[in-house]
């Protein structure tokens, strides 16, 4: 069903590590309105859509959100790579570094791990679409 190309649509090239910025950007990866939540929301909500066209649309959007997840993950990884542990400690993110090192872990910027309870998937297509609009607006 999915096709994977082994390159990023928008290449990420970070010259200098910056764990402080990585700590902010990680919420776009695994925060409640981040790319992981968006992809799961759309790919789960497609089953309640009333016709094949709208199901296909939510499938396409959910797949695109997975591509965004890869771009944001690459950004966080490059911002984290090579940053000395002292920098993580100085910015108050020693716990993240201790648990995950310079890897990418789905969480928000305060350290709470991704929780699927932050996304709404109901049996009502209109409610689902309102949820989608609200989540997309929250990331602007």
């Amino acid at each position: 069903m999915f096709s994977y190309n082994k390159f990023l649509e928008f290449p990420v090239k970070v010259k200098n590590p910056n764990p402080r910025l990585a700590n902010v950007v990680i919420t776009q990866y695994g925060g409640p309105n981040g790319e992981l939540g968006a992809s799961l929301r759309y790919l789960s909500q497609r089953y309640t859509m009333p016709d094949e066209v709208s199901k296909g649309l939510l499938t396409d959007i959910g797949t695109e959100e997975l591509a965004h997840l890869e771009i944001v993950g690459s950004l966080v990884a490059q911002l984290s790579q090579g940053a000395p542990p002292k920098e993580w400690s100085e910015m108050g993110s020693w716990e993240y570094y201790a648990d995950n090192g310079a890897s990418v872990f789905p969480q928000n910027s305060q350290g709470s791990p991704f929780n699927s309870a932050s996304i709404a998937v109901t049996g009502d297509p209109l409610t689902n679409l309102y949820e989608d609009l609200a989540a997309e607006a929250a990331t602007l």
Side-chain angles (χ1 to χ4, degrees), residues 6-131:
K6 295 183 179 188
F7 61 88
L8 292 177
E9 184 177 1
F10 298 101
V12 176
K13 299 211 184 290
V14 174
K15 293 181 182 178
N16 300 313
N18 186 335
R20 185 172 302 280
L21 183 55
N23 194 52
V24 173
V25 174
I26 194 72
T27 200
Q28 189 58 33
Y29 187 83
N33 295 309
E35 304 300 338
L36 178 59
S39 63
L40 292 174
R41 183 172 36 256
Y42 289 117
L43 292 173
S44 298
Q45 291 173 350
R46 66 185 170 168
Y47 298 105
T48 62
M49 297 308 285
D51 57 56
E52 294 303 313
V53 173
S54 56
K55 284 180 186 178
L57 179 63
L58 289 187
T59 301
D60 289 347
I61 295 170
T63 304
E64 184 66 23
E65 297 293 348
L66 288 171
H68 298 168
L69 187 69
E70 187 175 26
I71 293 168
V72 173
S74 295
L75 179 59
V76 171
Q78 289 180 32
L79 287 168
S80 301
Q81 191 173 19
K86 182 179 178 185
E87 283 189 45
W88 291 94
S89 179
E90 288 172 353
M91 65 180 219
S93 290
W94 181 249
E95 294 83 359
Y96 178 87
Y97 185 84
D99 287 342
N100 306 301
S103 66
V104 179
F105 181 75
Q107 68 176 40
N108 67 19
S109 60
Q110 289 82 42
S112 297
F114 176 77
N115 185 337
S116 62
S118 64
I119 63 173
V121 178
T122 71
D124 179 46
L126 284 177
T127 301
N128 286 340
L129 292 174
Y130 281 121
E131 163 70 11

